[in-house]
Amino acid sequence: IGVEELKRIHKFLKEPKMKVGFDKNLYIWEEHNPNESYMITADVARGDGTDYSTFHVIKLQTLEQVAEYRGKLSTELFSKLLFDIGREYGDSMIVVENNNLGFSVCEKIIQLNYPNVYFAEKGTQEYIPPYLAKNLENAVAGFTTSHKSRPLMISKLEESIRRGYLVINSERTYKELETFVWNNGKAEAQRGHNDDLVMPLAIACWVKDTALKANERTLEDRKSTRLNSSHSSVSRMPS
């Protein structure tokens, strides 16, 4: 992330309105507004190492970070926290990075009957709505970070920050962006630092700008097809 972009982010950082949860690691800048739509993107760690389990709550209309968690929870507790936050923010879509322990978290959230888990077609990142996913064998819960998708996510994050689309409120996220660098051709945290908040932020930018937009276009196309079909039927009716 460029120096000027980092300066701009730092200028607009805000203290959270609340720090809640048993470990006080859930930061909230804006509570749920029923007139807004949100997305939650999460990265899962074991809970006993140097990495953290993290998530962001992003307001879709403005790409603003309205809540953030970074802590060391078991997968069981982290799943329950994601479930509770998702319900709190209007059953917003939950996108969990499903590599390793992330898949277990996806399964736990689904077992809790959460209605809005992100699914994609196996081997791709083509979004599949939850109501269709349960009947498809090739639907995979969560977001798969691979050698193909990772650079696309990072590129989308950089573009969103450079163009001022993404609104970051958290100093914890800002500090990770400061130490997120190129290392032998790979964007990652400097040695001794973390990128646990950066990666779900990159997922949010990619999903918002690609998968969800594609889904919106598909829904609009279906709506247009139904309307055209209806109009054709009316025009063929005998007078």
Side-chain angles (χ1 to χ4, degrees):
I1 309 301
V3 174
E4 292 305 313
E5 285 78 13
L6 286 171
K7 286 181 179 178
R8 186 177 68 241
I9 293 170
H10 187 266
K11 182 179 178 181
F12 293 103
L13 295 179
K14 295 190 293 189
E15 279 294 312
K17 288 171 60 177
M18 294 177 281
K19 296 181 181 180
V20 297
F22 78 93
D23 57 358
K24 303 299 182 186
N25 276 323
L26 175 57
Y27 291 5
I28 297 176
W29 287 269
E30 181 181 302
E31 295 167 281
H32 174 241
N33 180 341
N35 297 316
E36 301 283 359
S37 298
Y38 303 88
M39 173 171 58
I40 301 169
T41 52
D43 187 30
V44 186
R46 281 191 324 225
D48 59 355
T50 58
D51 292 335
Y52 295 88
S53 288
T54 61
F55 66 74
H56 300 282
V57 181
I58 303 293
K59 186 160 59 176
L60 286 173
Q61 286 83 347
T62 59
L63 264 186
E64 180 179 0
Q65 176 193 44
V66 299
E68 169 199 274
Y69 177 80
R70 187 184 76 163
K72 296 184 177 182
L73 296 178
S74 66
T75 55
E76 193 78 34
L77 288 174
F78 190 59
S79 303
K80 184 61 168 61
L81 178 58
L82 281 170
F83 176 88
D84 290 342
I85 290 297
R87 297 307 301 266
E88 181 69 25
Y89 281 88
D91 287 340
S92 51
M93 179 186 288
I94 295 178
V95 188
V96 181
E97 205 253 15
N98 62 17
N99 299 31
N100 304 316
L101 292 173
F103 191 73
S104 173
V105 169
C106 287
E107 287 189 321
K108 286 177 172 35
I109 296 170
I110 292 168
Q111 288 165 9
L112 290 169
N113 293 318
Y114 190 78
N116 198 4
V117 175
Y118 176 89
F119 284 85
E121 183 180 335
K122 186 176 181 179
T124 75
Q125 285 303 336
E126 294 295 324
Y127 172 65
I128 301 174
Y131 67 90
L132 293 177
K134 61 183 179 181
N135 298 317
L136 297 174
E137 292 184 1
N138 64 340
V140 179
F143 183 94
T144 304
T145 300
S146 65
H147 69 281
K148 287 185 177 180
S149 63
R150 196 177 192 279
L152 297 176
M153 293 156 45
I154 301 301
S155 175
K156 189 59 67 176
L157 172 66
E158 187 277 331
E159 178 188 2
S160 299
I161 291 176
R162 173 168 42 82
R163 295 193 173 187
Y165 298 155
L166 186 62
V167 181
I168 297 170
N169 291 317
S170 169
E171 186 171 1
R172 292 189 301 193
T173 299
Y174 167 77
K175 286 185 177 298
E176 286 196 10
L177 287 170
E178 273 192 312
T179 56
F180 193 69
V181 299
W182 286 107
N183 182 22
N184 294 323
K186 182 181 179 181
E188 60 185 8
Q190 286 179 349
R191 184 184 296 273
H193 296 272
N194 297 86
D195 57 15
D196 305 311
L197 287 165
V198 173
M199 296 313 295
L201 201 62
I203 290 172
C205 293
W206 194 92
V207 170
K208 168 67 168 64
D209 205 44
T210 55
L212 295 189
K213 277 190 176 179
N215 186 56
E216 287 172 6
R217 287 195 297 270
T218 299
L219 292 175
E220 285 299 318
D221 289 344
R222 288 175 181 169
K223 181 179 177 182
S224 176
T225 300
R226 286 198 300 269
L227 288 173
N228 290 336
S229 176
S230 175
H231 291 157
S232 297
S233 299
V234 171
S235 66
R236 289 195 300 269
M237 290 179 65
S239 57

